[in-house]
Amino acid sequence: MTRWFRPFVFPALVLAALELWARTIGASSDSVAPPSAALLAFGRALTDGSLLVATGFTLGSAAVGLLIGGGLGVALGTLLGLSARAARLSFVSVEVLRPVPSVALIPLAMLVFGFGLRMEVSVVAFACLWPMALLAQAAVQQVEPRLLEVARALQMTAWQRFTWIVGPAIVPRLFVALRLGVAIALVVAVTVEIAANPHGMGYSMMIAQQSLDPALMLAWLLWIGLVGFAINAGALWLQRGVARRMGEAAS
């Protein structure tokens, strides 16, 4: 039973040390609040509904952006993995666009979409596109070559090769890409809200900072971390569940 609590020992010690420091040495600080005050601020944000509204906006933006960017990335990566010619022709374009920081697109996205959901979704989708594409391409390239030779000998169409051979073979690796994409989507969504978009958890944290309310700012920071932890745990649970079902089906 105690093994379930061991991962929480270090965070608890850090919070306890911060509480002690904020109550003693840092009692006169206007920039740091004790975790107990952050907990009270969290309760107020939960009670007045602002916590749920901001969290829903951020998670919705991150989910839609991941769906669009991840879907396009998997499709692009599959194409590049199956076709050496397509990989050669698109090499320069991919290598030029891939290093562009997603936040550098914020001014362009603001001009095109203005503030709001579409602007944030577009930046998140761009950020998720490239890692998903590269991981999907690597997964396709690791498919057993003899399986593809058999598919060509049977004169399968491209869609049949994907649905019967390539798709099932790359599913486990795609879940690794999914976990990475989920983390990127949340980080970029919060970053866009901090930098430009007046909605969501990132914006709420900035408003708390500008209002000189360190307790609420710390509450938002901790809440964002907990949300990210929960999403990653859910993705890991889903990955293990799919792997277990595929193992049962194979046996």
Side-chain angles (χ1 to χ4, degrees), residues 101-122:
S102 56
V103 292
L105 293 182
I106 292 178
L108 177 61
M110 289 175 61
L111 286 175
V112 176
F113 301 111
F115 295 108
L117 179 66
R118 292 190 299 170
M119 184 270 283
E120 188 168 326
V121 166
S122 64

Side-chain angles (χ1 to χ4, degrees), residues 54 57-58 115-117 120 189 192-194 196-204:
F57 182 90
T58 300
F115 295 108
L117 179 66
E120 188 168 326
V192 171
E193 292 163 1
I194 291 175
N197 201 18
H199 304 280
M201 294 190 290
Y203 178 71
S204 298

Side-chain angles (χ1 to χ4, degrees), residues 66 128 131-132 135 174-185 232 235:
L66 176 61
C128 295
M132 296 291 286
L135 290 173
L174 286 184
F175 272 96
V176 177
L178 176 63
R179 289 183 60 195
L180 177 62
V182 165
I184 292 175
N232 181 71

Side-chain angles (χ1 to χ4, degrees), residues 74 131-132 134-144 165-181 239 242-243 246:
V74 170
M132 296 291 286
L134 292 178
L135 290 173
Q137 180 183 6
V140 171
Q141 290 173 341
Q142 292 174 11
V143 175
E144 178 59 48
I165 296 177
V166 176
I170 67 175
V171 165
R173 296 184 180 92
L174 286 184
F175 272 96
V176 177
L178 176 63
R179 289 183 60 195
L180 177 62
Q239 176 185 353
V242 171
M246 293 184 66

Side-chain angles (χ1 to χ4, degrees), residues 16-29 32-35:
L18 179 59
E19 180 78 22
L20 179 62
W21 182 86
R23 296 288 182 183
T24 55
I25 301 176
S28 59
S29 175
V32 178

Side-chain angles (χ1 to χ4, degrees), residues 82 140-141 143-157 161-162 165-166:
L82 290 175
V140 171
Q141 290 173 341
V143 175
E144 178 59 48
R146 284 176 294 184
L147 294 176
L148 297 177
E149 291 175 3
V150 171
R152 283 191 290 268
L154 295 175
Q155 297 183 345
M156 290 183 177
T157 64
R161 290 200 302 270
F162 177 78
I165 296 177
V166 176

